[in-house]
Amino acid sequence: MKYLALALLVCALLPLSNAFCMGKPMKLGMTHCQDGVDNTWHAVGSKWRNSACMDCTCEACCSAYSTPTNFPPDCVSVFDPVACKYTVHKKDDPTVHCPVFGSVGK
């Protein structure tokens, strides 16, 4: 029974954390890799966030945010490229935040 509950929980949370990832080829013996967006070099084993809001390693880059898709119709989503996140607020009052019921990766 507890495995069924765990499976249901995972299925319920999966759509809320759907991140987009891109794998990158690694060559044997390499010590550094180049970020394809910012053209910066990073040591193998390090982690960084690039200017496209992607969290990267030398093996892959994944979106650092998810895009809200299901929220009340009187609300709007606005992306903050500095914080790498969306905020959802009332269309007529940006100080009132709205609930988000679903999101997808970039």
Side-chain angles (χ1 to χ4, degrees):
M1 182 66 177
K2 69 179 172 181
Y3 292 113
L4 178 59
L6 180 61
L8 289 173
L9 179 64
V10 169
C11 289
L13 293 177
L14 193 59
L16 298 176
S17 64
N18 184 11
F20 170 74
C21 294
M22 294 184 304
K24 301 187 303 186
M26 287 188 61
K27 296 178 182 171
L28 188 62
M30 66 188 274
T31 60
H32 288 76
C33 62
Q34 188 175 24
D35 183 288
V37 173
D38 296 333
N39 294 322
T40 53
W41 288 91
H42 302 273
V44 170
S46 64
K47 296 178 182 181
W48 68 95
R49 179 171 288 176
N50 65 24
S51 62
C53 293
M54 300 290 281
D55 288 332
C56 300
T57 66
C58 287
E59 296 174 350
C61 286
C62 297
S63 62
Y65 61 92
S66 57
T67 305
T69 58
N70 189 4
F71 47 86
D74 61 333
C75 299
V76 63
S77 66
V78 178
F79 186 69
D80 178 350
V82 175
C84 295
K85 70 176 188 174
Y86 277 92
T87 57
V88 180
H89 60 76
K90 294 282 188 182
K91 290 178 182 177
D92 59 355
D93 187 354
T95 64
V96 178
H97 293 278
C98 298
V100 176
F101 305 112
S103 61
V104 295
K106 181 178 172 188

